[in-house]
Amino acid sequence: MSGNEPLRVPPAPPALLARRSWALPSAVAAEFDPERGPRKGGRRPRRTARDWVVDFACFGVAVVIGMVGADAVGKNPNVSPGIAEADQLIGALACAAVWLRRRWPVGLAVAMVLVSLASDTAGGAAAIALFTLAVHRPFRYVGWIGGVSIAVVPFIYWLRPDADLPYLVTVLVGVLINASVIGWGMFVRSRRQLLLSLRDRAIRAENEATLRAEQAQRLARESIAREMHDVLAHRLTLLSVHAGALEFRPDAPREEIVRAAGVIRESAHEALQDLREVIGVLRGGGEDGEASGRPQPTLAALETLVAESRDAGMKVALDHRVAELAAVPAAVGRTAYRIAQEGLTNARKHAPGAEVTVLVSGAPGEGLTLSVRNPPPPGDVPKVPGSGQGLIGLTERATLAGGRIEHGSAADGGFRVDAWLPWD
């Protein structure tokens, strides 16, 4: 496995292990199964079936080793019969104390270090206590208590020499046994920590995948809202303006009524076409409009947009200073077109009758500059539905394109929209 390759985590281990929590240690099962977590009063989690099996096994190992030690002490000529009986009694109590290893692992390990100085029969219980300490407590406890237990080995065999083996051999064997018990316990603890870390990583990966999915949905909703507003707001504003004119001027000349009805019909037709285009893009057709068969507008379509606005009765002055329209990148031209479209739409809604000035200039390496300005409206402004979300969407669109946009009141009391887009 290379250094950059992520660690492969088995699929959905928490759910699988939660169903088999009876086969896990209680400390691990509590992490997978909340029902086995710490109980009221801060008491430790209840034991699993595996815990009971392990506890009986540890008690049995302590008893077997204690019986072997009791037999050796009884046959040791260096130990008096009275001391041998006391040794066996202390060893029996130490074996019984093994059942307290889960509740007080540190206290039991410290007590067993002291007991091992007085009793060879308690050797099994001392080993179990040291193993439990290494499994359930951090290394700072294991280092101190384990070091002391190893350090007292020479004193134990100096007080009660073995009848069959030399002193140095017994000391070496005792040190190796204690070191092996500590190493085994630390290995078990590391495996448990690895299992819990894999669980945490699996949960974290699942949460990150959920967050990514939610973010993708949010971005998709924003894209839908932005495209729907940019494409349909222009057409629907035309419909609203001309429908309002027909409503408030029912006695208008027939030619004006026919002309307004034609604009309404044409705008409705274009709105339907644009709606199909947006739906095609959102269904996976991309931003180039292949799904609908209609190309996305670029800067070359700006004159057509201005002509439509003039046909709708607006006064628009277009100052086009870009020499080669074909040299403008498609993405930059499309963004500029949307900005101009939104500016004309806002002017039609909020400043009807005012002359709008559209200025486009720029060159490769300098960027593309677009300005849409209108003076204050000459008369009363009818209330047209609108929430002002278009300018927010344009700001986001310009930022994504690497440009910037500014909008606000002009010096003459009108409104301005100034944008700059990069043109490499």
Side-chain angles (χ1 to χ4, degrees):
M1 180 180 294
S2 64
N4 296 328
E5 183 179 356
L7 180 63
R8 296 181 180 179
V9 181
L16 177 61
L17 293 176
R19 293 194 298 267
R20 300 180 180 178
S21 58
W22 58 269
L24 296 174
S26 57
V28 178
E31 297 291 336
F32 291 97
D33 187 1
E35 295 182 357
R36 291 185 175 274
R39 292 175 287 179
K40 295 181 179 180
R43 292 181 294 174
R44 56 189 178 84
R46 62 178 181 272
R47 299 182 186 182
T48 62
R50 179 187 180 279
D51 286 345
W52 286 106
V53 173
V54 172
D55 288 346
F56 275 105
C58 290
F59 177 73
V61 169
V63 170
V64 171
I65 296 178
M67 294 176 64
V68 174
D71 182 68
V73 168
K75 296 178 181 180
N76 192 342
N78 298 319
V79 180
S80 63
I83 296 178
E85 293 179 359
D87 187 302
Q88 295 171 2
L89 177 60
I90 295 174
L93 296 176
C95 291
V98 167
W99 290 101
L100 304 177
R101 68 188 189 94
R102 294 184 183 274
R103 184 177 296 274
W104 296 298
V106 176
L108 181 63
V110 172
M112 288 299 106
V113 172
L114 300 176
V115 169
S116 61
L117 291 172
S119 172
D120 288 344
T121 311
I128 296 298
L130 192 59
F131 172 78
T132 303
L133 178 71
V135 171
H136 293 281
R137 290 296 181 266
F139 179 75
R140 63 178 181 272
Y141 295 100
V142 180
W144 283 102
I145 300 176
V148 173
S149 66
I150 293 176
V152 300
V153 170
F155 295 96
I156 293 175
Y157 290 105
W158 179 74
L159 293 174
R160 295 183 303 279
D162 190 275
D164 300 326
L165 297 176
Y167 174 75
L168 292 179
V169 175
T170 54
V171 170
L172 180 61
V173 172
V175 170
L176 289 177
I177 291 176
N178 281 273
S180 299
V181 169
I182 294 173
W184 184 20
M186 294 179 63
F187 172 73
V188 172
R189 177 178 174 82
S190 66
R191 287 189 71 253
R192 291 185 180 182
Q193 291 178 336
L194 176 61
L195 180 61
L196 294 177
S197 67
L198 290 178
R199 169 192 177 265
D200 292 339
R201 294 180 62 177
I203 294 177
R204 191 181 305 112
E206 183 179 356
N207 293 336
E208 290 177 356
T210 303
L211 290 176
R212 286 194 298 268
E214 292 177 354
Q215 183 180 13
Q217 292 177 355
R218 179 178 59 82
L219 294 176
R221 288 194 295 267
E222 292 178 356
S223 176
I224 292 173
R226 184 170 58 249
E227 292 296 329
M228 293 293 288
H229 183 278
D230 292 344
V231 173
L232 297 180
H234 178 71
R235 307 294 181 188
L236 296 180
T237 303
L238 287 176
L239 289 174
S240 176
V241 170
H242 286 279
L246 292 179
E247 179 183 2
F248 289 103
R249 294 192 59 190
D251 56 344
R254 177 177 176 81
E255 293 76 9
E256 293 186 9
I257 295 178
V258 172
R259 177 174 171 274
V263 173
I264 291 175
R265 179 186 60 80
E266 183 66 22
S267 298
H269 176 73
E270 292 293 334
L272 289 175
Q273 290 293 102
D274 290 338
L275 181 60
R276 295 190 187 98
E277 176 184 340
V278 171
I279 293 175
V281 171
L282 297 177
R283 285 179 176 175
E287 294 188 356
D288 295 331
E290 293 90 347
S292 62
R294 301 180 65 205
Q296 288 285 331
T298 60
L299 193 61
L302 185 57
E303 295 184 357
T304 303
L305 176 66
V306 171
E308 291 179 355
S309 299
R310 289 170 178 169
D311 292 339
M314 289 187 65
K315 300 176 183 179
V316 183
L318 175 61
D319 188 357
H320 214 316
R321 301 180 184 178
V322 178
E324 298 181 5
L325 296 179
V328 180
V332 175
R334 181 164 56 252
T335 303
Y337 177 91
R338 295 301 187 195
I339 294 174
Q341 185 183 53
E342 179 65 21
L344 292 174
T345 300
N346 289 338
R348 185 182 301 113
K349 290 193 299 183
H350 304 294
E355 184 177 5
V356 184
T357 302
V358 180
L359 172 62
V360 184
S361 62
E366 298 179 0
L368 184 68
T369 302
L370 175 67
S371 177
V372 182
R373 297 172 179 265
N374 63 269
D380 295 334
V381 180
K383 185 177 181 180
V384 180
S387 58
Q389 296 297 319
L391 293 175
I392 299 176
L394 290 182
T395 302
E396 181 182 359
R397 183 186 289 272
T399 302
L400 292 176
R404 58 182 180 271
I405 187 171
E406 297 179 356
H407 54 81
S409 300
D412 58 355
F415 196 81
R416 63 178 181 83
V417 177
D418 298 322
W420 178 87
L421 300 173
W423 182 0
D424 297 332

